[in-house]
Amino acid sequence: MLNFYVCVAILGFITWRIVKLTAAYLRIGHIPGFFTLFEPTTAIGGSIPSNSWNLGLSFTWLRKDYLYKQYQSELITIFPVLWGDCNVYNSSPEAARQILSTNAPWHRPEKAMKAIDIMGPNVFASEFDYWKKQRRIASPAFNASSYRMVWDETARTYHQMMSRPEWKSKAVVSVDNFNVYTRKLALFIIAAVGFGLPLEWDEPRYNSRGDMSAEEVITQVSTNILPRYAVPWWVYYVFPTKKLKLIDSAFKSMELLLRNLIKKRNTEMKKRIELNEDMDESIKDVFGRLVLSQVQNGAKLSLNDREIIGNSFIFLFAGHETTAHTLSATLAMLALHEDEQEHVYQHIKKVLPDDRAPTFADYDALDTVLATFYEALRLYPPAYMLTRDNHEDTIIATPSIKTPGETAKIPLKKGTTVMSDMVGLCYNERLYPDAKTFKPSRWYGNVDRVFAFGYGPRICLGMKFATTEATAFLTLLLRDWKVELNMLDGETKERWKTRILKPELVITLTFDQVPLKFIRRQASE
């Protein structure tokens, strides 16, 4: 009898998959593609390494040199036989612009937003009129005052870092993993400018009672989003492992910290408003401006506590790991390309003669510094996938690869999911000739082609936040230090690059470690 039910279950599963695959093939089978066992973004497909029968989560990176070229198409289909949905993957900038443009019938799928609304609704994990409300309220918090604060806080944190024993008065500093420093830098900036919580470099991770510091709470939350999303709430009580306890404690501490901060700032602002203080001028941190909107505008025209917490969480996540890893990648590429590094250094000296301190007023003039960041961001895009569902039949127009000079018009029926592959886009030779080469000059006057921050009305709110932080930090560091690779004995640059710059694709594209060496520049250089 048991064998009978097992056979029935297997037969039912096979029938279900055949029906599902047939329906998908009728919908998108006209687009070239291939079969695999599991959809890469599912738990099982993403956890199994990439091989001949399973793509794996990192397949767009591992196969970037030939994934689309082999089919002579910038849109391809993937049909998972055993598990997952059949989707279209896109590396066409024209298609991406069409899909991500204003009023396009493409929207974020619900399952793609669940992982980023685990602490509350936010501007990233919302759609339609609710997204418009979130965006309208959140956008003013990112302004010139905030960016000036980003610059000043970056400089303050950089000088704190330089005062550490491992840097102070040293002529040569070898770092096994520079991600440790860039993570801390990005965390400090987002804490100060995002939440009005300036942190100190030497603050201990835990206090005398064993409670996590604000730095440790934010670190644990930003690095454990995936397990928090994937593990059901009851597992924390039934299987309370040390790791799960740490994650649970961090997220609960984060929510408590933010709720207490909302209450405190709310009370402070009401008192200051009664004293007729100019709140718009004095409140510069993003979190404070969200609370100020709540105090001044009432419930209908502001975010509630849950929404402020949700937006604070997504600003934290988007601005921490992504910026940190891109800064490390930028320095790694400059160490690999010494001529580019020297060019940037001479540019900094020209903009900042007599070694004067850079200010936010220098941001636009330091465009060559920012170009190196954009190029590293292109080569290693942290947000490597943007997912959209089609809510009505659409025709995607994109240049034909098979017939150069002609436009391919690809019909996509309602219900199709398109994954805009940021790796494929950022290595598209039509948009970026000689795409595998580190060439910052491609960004001189061409910043409209920065796809790594998204595109259209939903472009990343924190783009200027991140570029201001990057420009300030890179300017200060490259003016004071020459960056070299921290290599193993007998290792070449190419072997170092192969060993180190092999990213992992999970929630974002990240590096395990980036070992670098810093040589202090002489004042006369």
Side-chain angles (χ1 to χ4, degrees), residues 55 75 111 120 148 247 249 257 344 367 405 415 451 495 498 500 502 506:
L55 288 174
L75 275 76
K111 66 179 181 179
R148 190 173 295 107
I247 295 172
S249 176
L257 184 153
V344 174
D367 54 348
F451 273 99
R495 287 182 178 177
T498 301
I500 298 300
K502 50 179 182 180
V506 190

Side-chain angles (χ1 to χ4, degrees), residues 159-175:
H159 291 304
Q160 277 196 34
M161 172 180 155
M162 290 297 106
S163 68
R164 295 286 302 160
E166 63 266 32
W167 292 88
K168 189 176 182 180
S169 302
K170 296 290 181 65
V172 179
V173 178
S174 294
V175 180

Side-chain angles (χ1 to χ4, degrees), residues 415-473:
T416 301
T417 296
V418 172
M419 320 283 273
S420 287
D421 170 16
M422 288 296 110
V423 175
L425 278 164
C426 289
Y427 281 81
N428 188 310
E429 290 281 349
R430 287 196 300 107
L431 188 63
Y432 307 111
D434 199 14
K436 294 175 70 174
T437 300
F438 179 70
K439 192 185 298 184
S441 60
R442 72 173 83 241
W443 297 108
Y444 299 167
N446 292 311
V447 295
D448 60 318
R449 298 182 302 159
V450 181
F451 273 99
F453 284 105
Y455 181 82
R458 302 198 66 148
I459 194 169
C460 177
L461 269 175
M463 178 177 177
K464 184 69 176 286
F465 190 113
T467 58
T468 301
E469 177 184 339
T471 303
F473 178 70

Side-chain angles (χ1 to χ4, degrees), residues 103-121:
N103 299 323
W106 296 85
H107 306 288
R108 296 179 189 272
E110 185 176 345
K111 66 179 181 179
M113 296 191 288
K114 287 182 178 179
I116 53 177
D117 69 355
I118 54 178
M119 290 193 71

